[in-house]
Amino acid sequence: MLAAGAPQMRYGENTGPVGGVTPPVPTVTAPVGSLYGGSDLQGGNAKLPDVNSDDAEVKNPQLVNGQDADADLGLYLDFNSVEKPEPYRGDYGEGDSGPRTFEYEKLNPDLFAPPATDFGSVPNAVWPLGLSHNRAGYKGKSGWARQQNTAVLPNAKQMAGVDMKLAPNAYRELHWHTAGEWALVLKGCVRLAAIDDESRSFTDDVCEGDVWFFPPGIPHSIQAFDKGVEFLLVFDQGDFDENGTFLISEMFARTPREVLSKNFHSDVDSFKDLPQDELYIFNGTKQPHDIQQQNTTAPGGFLSGNSSYTYHSSQQKAYQVPGGSVKILDPSTFPIAAMFSAALVTIQPGAMREMHWHPTSDEWDYFLQGSARATIYAAPQAGQTFDFTAGDVGYISQADAHYIENTGTDDLIFLEVLQAPKFSDVSVAQWLALTPKQTIVDHLHLPDKLLDSLPREKTILKTGNANLTALAGGGKAYI
């Protein structure tokens, strides 16, 4: 006798009759009935239904704190506080009795019950890497990689991302790209090796919080240390495909043995043990901890200083401001990465990255910890609010105004990457502060008290009330 089936994972859903099916369906041992209905069911032939018999109403919806407040306030709605969220906001919305998975709505409350200030159409701005295909490395539990590019986030035209894990001492095999590769080490440590087109060599060890950059066409290898490594790669091509990388194993496999023998001045038998398949990610021999044992003397010397492919940003002290901290890394201190400018931002509960836009570049974001939301304003009158959690990629087009608000109870940590020779933005608050007051009053009818209090310097972050529904109870959004 067969054992009973294990229960399926449950993420919460509406149950019962739906779409003309009333589960559970009967169990039969042989086919019964017909696959098709008859012509007597066509409109005009069929018996009219009793339109009062089916019910799409949601009885006694359970609302979360702030859900019945003015929809223009756009309060953050914590749908995790109820079992079954409903898409109401103020005087807008209606219950959802149809097919749904509650977990999606709990992760994306501003899509499910958007602020009334949202309007029009904004390109999708979020892709969870947890929904990306996770490609395993070569056999032996060597690692994995998953990617985001325009195939899954079509508006991300300037940049693509890859999250990669290498097992202890595993390699990302020797390779090169047509795109520039910028990377942030998320966990662990790794050894890098490369040469450039001027006969110069490079090796360095980087750990959590450090950055590397390899320009297009520069061949390099990546090997994890004893405790493995996970890192984030950002490429300067939106349609970059991690599976389209140039690999040393494939180059040798696709070259005639006669040519290999002639090129390396070695007997053809030297190549009889070449890999039969690409290595991609594979387990390797433990490297010596003393990097000097792997430094190679190159005719052009060793790459260092402004020519270095690494930047030890883990040793950079963060710039602290009310509401959190920021580290900026751009070509002013890491010149080899000529068009990569990035900020690693930490935002305390209730605070936000101030309203701003980037004048020359799209913005690629990666959320390392916490939860957030952003409303993106796109010309001339569209606006949409998106929600983000750890492992999500965000993408915002050049010049689109936005903020990023911490919607959790812990610090929010995210990476903000630009394709620009310096990290730059336009602060909305500073713009108003440095514009003649009468001009602002004539446009927006704002009170003098507000305009007089605006800072003339960028604040980068804005502090806020950690109670995100304080306005619903007569409180304030700021502190």
Side-chain angles (χ1 to χ4, degrees), residues 71-267:
D72 283 340
L73 292 178
L75 305 179
Y76 180 74
L77 303 178
D78 180 13
F79 284 151
N80 289 295
S81 62
V82 295
E83 178 183 355
K84 181 181 175 182
E86 295 297 344
Y88 294 99
R89 188 183 279 271
D91 292 333
Y92 294 83
E94 174 54 43
D96 185 351
S97 57
R100 51 193 291 221
T101 299
F102 301 154
E103 293 302 318
Y104 290 131
E105 292 140 12
K106 292 179 180 181
L107 285 172
N108 299 282
D110 290 295
L111 293 182
F112 190 54
T117 46
D118 279 12
F119 183 80
S121 180
V122 173
N124 181 42
V126 58
W127 177 257
L129 282 179
L131 295 181
S132 291
H133 178 268
N134 210 352
R135 180 184 176 185
Y138 196 69
K139 62 184 179 182
K141 297 180 180 178
S142 55
W144 48 259
R146 53 189 180 180
Q147 69 179 359
Q148 162 275 316
N149 55 23
T150 50
V152 295
L153 193 57
N155 192 46
K157 298 177 178 66
Q158 284 193 359
M159 287 169 275
V162 174
D163 178 19
M164 185 173 290
K165 176 67 183 290
L166 303 181
N169 307 120
Y171 286 98
R172 172 65 170 98
E173 79 162 280
L174 285 159
H175 65 284
W176 69 99
H177 312 281
T178 60
E181 173 187 301
W182 189 97
L184 172 68
V185 182
L186 301 173
K187 293 284 186 180
C189 298
V190 66
R191 176 162 293 165
L192 307 170
I195 68 163
D196 72 358
D197 56 350
E198 297 182 11
S199 304
R200 297 179 294 182
S201 64
F202 178 80
T203 53
D204 197 14
D205 296 337
V206 290
C207 291
E208 179 175 333
D210 292 336
V211 168
W212 76 72
F213 176 76
F214 292 117
I218 296 298
H220 54 281
S221 69
I222 306 168
Q223 185 180 19
F225 274 94
D226 301 347
K227 296 182 179 180
V229 69
E230 182 173 353
F231 47 86
L232 178 72
L233 302 170
V234 186
F235 295 92
D236 55 10
Q237 295 174 356
D239 61 355
F240 174 85
D241 187 347
E242 171 67 12
N243 300 312
T245 299
F246 294 92
L247 306 171
I248 193 171
S249 58
E250 286 294 304
M251 178 180 64
F252 272 68
R254 306 304 156 209
T255 303
R257 298 297 186 265
E258 183 269 343
V259 173
L260 292 175
S261 176
K262 184 178 296 183
N263 190 78
F264 295 103
H265 279 203
S266 183
D267 292 340

Side-chain angles (χ1 to χ4, degrees), residues 199-201 292 294-302:
S199 304
R200 297 179 294 182
S201 64
Q292 298 300 324
Q294 291 197 319
N295 283 341
T296 302
T297 301
F302 186 81

Side-chain angles (χ1 to χ4, degrees), residues 272-292:
K272 62 183 177 64
D273 294 326
L274 289 175
Q276 297 300 304
D277 300 301
E278 67 178 61
L279 298 173
Y280 185 54
I281 294 172
F282 68 103
N283 288 318
T285 304
K286 181 176 179 178
Q287 71 272 62
H289 273 243
D290 182 2
I291 195 171
Q292 298 300 324

